[in-house]
Amino acid sequence: MSFDRSLFSIRSVSAERVFPLRSTILLDGNTEASHFRGDDEASTLHLAVYDQDAIVAVATVCQEAFPGSPGDTAWRLRGVAVEPKWQGYGLGRLMIKLCIDHAQHKGGRLVWCTARESALGFYDSIGFASSSPPFTLPSRAGVLFYEMHYVLPGKPAPDVE
Ligand SMILES: CC(C)(COP(=O)(O)OP(=O)(O)OC[C@H]1O[C@@H](n2cnc3c(N)ncnc32)[C@H](O)[C@@H]1OP(=O)(O)O)[C@@H](O)C(=O)NCCC(=O)NCCS
């Protein structure tokens, strides 16, 4: 399939716009679970990539302390999802870059996420490091997750084991 990035636009959107794709791709269509803590905070950024009028990729970044590291300079990626048809074309990387830029602009020193095992390579390729042994979540039986973090360049990092 050919890919022409100029046909896409990326926009800052309201939380409600990201819920459908977040739910379809990450939550087995469970719309009731699609609203995350932090979604409604004024500082939170929700991004959507549009193919004309259709949203084909979404990502959110919100201020949230890194586990075991108190303070208000950590930002958490949530709901990073690209429609299968458009995976592998750089949309995920672009959204993460803009989320990192947002966190840095707001004074953030660290961006972190809970990555499912299948996405480890994606975050790794962007420069995230794994900071915990794998764990499972009650809501996602059988899926291994890893906490991953990215220290923002040029800033001292909070303590991360
Ligand atoms: C994971 C996901 C967000 C990646 O988005 P994407 O647009 O397909 O990724 P990109 O095309 O921007 O890829 C960026 C880099 O990551 C690599 N990559 C992407 N997905 C990968 C994966 N699942 N495993 C290993 N590497 C991966 C790409 O090869 C590329 O590397 P390169 O720049 O060295 O060539 C997307 O595939 C997706 O939505 N997957 C299903 C939902 C999901 O797992 N979300 C993450 C929840 S934690």
Side-chain angles (χ1 to χ4, degrees):
M1 188 189 311
S2 63
F3 180 78
D4 181 352
R5 194 179 278 195
S6 68
L7 298 175
F8 293 79
S9 61
I10 187 160
R11 302 177 205 163
S12 167
V13 296
S14 65
E16 288 68 28
R17 299 256 176 205
V18 306
F19 291 163
L21 200 61
R22 179 191 282 183
S23 159
T24 303
I25 295 188
L26 295 170
L27 303 167
D28 296 329
N30 182 353
T31 51
E32 288 176 11
S34 63
H35 191 272
F36 296 156
R37 184 171 49 158
D39 274 339
D40 301 324
E41 296 299 323
S43 60
T44 295
L45 175 69
H46 300 283
L47 290 175
V49 177
Y50 281 80
D51 173 10
Q52 299 185 50
D53 291 335
I55 292 178
V56 299
V58 293
T60 293
V61 65
C62 58
Q63 193 171 22
E64 185 174 327
F66 187 68
S69 182
D72 59 2
T73 56
W75 287 70
R76 182 177 182 181
L77 291 168
R78 306 293 317 254
V80 180
V82 179
E83 236 188 40
K85 180 180 165 188
W86 297 115
Q87 289 176 9
Y89 290 102
L91 297 179
R93 178 190 287 277
L94 175 63
M95 292 192 298
I96 301 300
K97 183 189 178 310
L98 293 172
C99 286
I100 289 173
D101 287 351
H102 177 76
Q104 188 154 30
H105 181 69
K106 295 282 187 182
R109 292 160 61 184
L110 182 109
V111 176
W112 67 281
C113 66
T114 301
R116 54 190 69 197
E117 189 170 34
S118 58
L120 269 185
F122 168 66
Y123 289 107
D124 188 55
S125 79
I126 293 171
F128 280 72
S130 178
S131 41
S132 74
F135 57 93
T136 55
L137 296 172
S139 56
R140 305 290 301 175
V143 180
L144 285 179
F145 289 90
Y146 296 74
E147 267 163 21
M148 301 193 79
H149 67 277
Y150 179 93
V151 178
L152 292 167
K155 306 261 184 169
D159 290 338
V160 175
E161 290 190 10

